[in-house]
Amino acid sequence: MFTLNDTSSMQFRNETEKNIAFEQYKILADSIGKTNETRENSNNFWITVNGIATSALAYMRDTQTISMERKSFLLWTIIVIGMFLCLSWFSYLWTIKKSLEIRNTLLVDLEKYFPVPIFKTFFALTQKKPDKSSLTIKEMFVPTLFLIGYFFFAFLLFFFTEEVITPSSQSE
């Protein structure tokens, strides 16, 4: 039918090709919406998982039923898992970002051949570029806060092991 590499000479041979291209355009537009929904919903998952890890850190720190050596090992394990979760969250957001950039670019390229270029107009009005980052600073802020928290707790555990591992009720 046609390739997007040479879109300047793209011509539909018949009405069927034009209808197929428009159906592909609609599917592409729907997939962008679904990808954005998935991104928004997945943030709840990542916040919950990191919240559980943070709660586990607090619980393990205050528990008195585990020996100091095991407690230290468990705390380090939770910290490493938490950091890994944050890095996975960043990777997930980056993947979503790249996927949206590609789809936005394809959508704008494809809509050049339709009567109303909705997305191109939207990008012009919002002064966004279809291939510009769809990831916001706000979106990166939450995983960054969790990561900073894990680094801070690791710092405390490394330099002040006794104070971190020993529950406050035993130290008085």
Side-chain angles (χ1 to χ4, degrees):
M1 184 164 113
F2 65 88
T3 64
L4 286 174
N5 293 340
D6 188 22
T7 55
S8 60
S9 63
M10 182 175 82
Q11 301 258 333
F12 300 112
R13 286 180 278 183
N14 55 42
E15 196 64 28
T16 303
E17 282 186 2
K18 187 174 183 178
N19 289 337
I20 290 171
F22 188 67
E23 287 301 315
Q24 290 173 340
Y25 174 82
K26 289 191 312 188
I27 290 169
L28 191 55
D30 286 343
S31 75
I32 289 172
K34 289 182 186 200
T35 301
N36 278 322
E37 284 178 35
T38 301
R39 174 174 69 181
E40 290 170 14
N41 292 333
S42 68
N43 284 333
N44 293 333
F45 164 78
W46 291 108
I47 289 171
T48 301
V49 169
N50 277 286
I52 290 169
T54 305
S55 298
L57 274 172
Y59 174 77
M60 291 303 299
R61 186 240 177 256
D62 288 336
T63 190
Q64 298 177 16
T65 58
I66 300 175
S67 69
M68 287 185 60
E69 295 81 28
R70 285 191 180 163
K71 187 186 285 190
S72 179
F73 174 76
L74 288 173
L75 287 172
W76 277 112
T77 302
I78 294 169
I79 290 169
V80 169
I81 289 171
M83 289 177 175
F84 175 75
L85 287 171
C86 288
L87 295 176
S88 296
W89 192 355
F90 283 124
S91 174
Y92 176 78
L93 289 173
W94 184 259
T95 301
I96 293 286
K97 171 193 172 292
K98 294 307 279 177
S99 174
L100 285 171
E101 287 172 359
I102 291 168
R103 291 173 190 191
N104 286 342
T105 301
L106 286 172
L107 198 64
V108 169
D109 284 349
L110 190 57
E111 77 177 0
K112 290 176 186 175
Y113 305 97
F114 297 115
V116 181
I118 295 170
F119 287 96
K120 182 179 178 184
T121 304
F122 168 77
F123 290 133
L125 290 173
T126 60
Q127 298 177 346
K128 283 179 119 180
K129 293 186 173 135
D131 59 346
K132 191 176 180 228
S133 179
S134 62
L135 252 148
T136 64
I137 299 294
K138 290 179 192 174
E139 215 168 1
M140 302 300 285
F141 185 68
V142 177
T144 301
L145 279 180
F146 275 112
L147 193 58
I148 289 170
Y150 291 124
F151 275 117
F152 179 71
F153 201 82
F155 174 81
L156 291 177
L157 186 58
F158 186 76
F159 290 106
F160 306 102
T161 305
E162 287 293 320
E163 291 84 355
V164 172
I165 292 180
T166 306
S168 53
S169 62
Q170 283 185 350
S171 61
E172 293 176 358

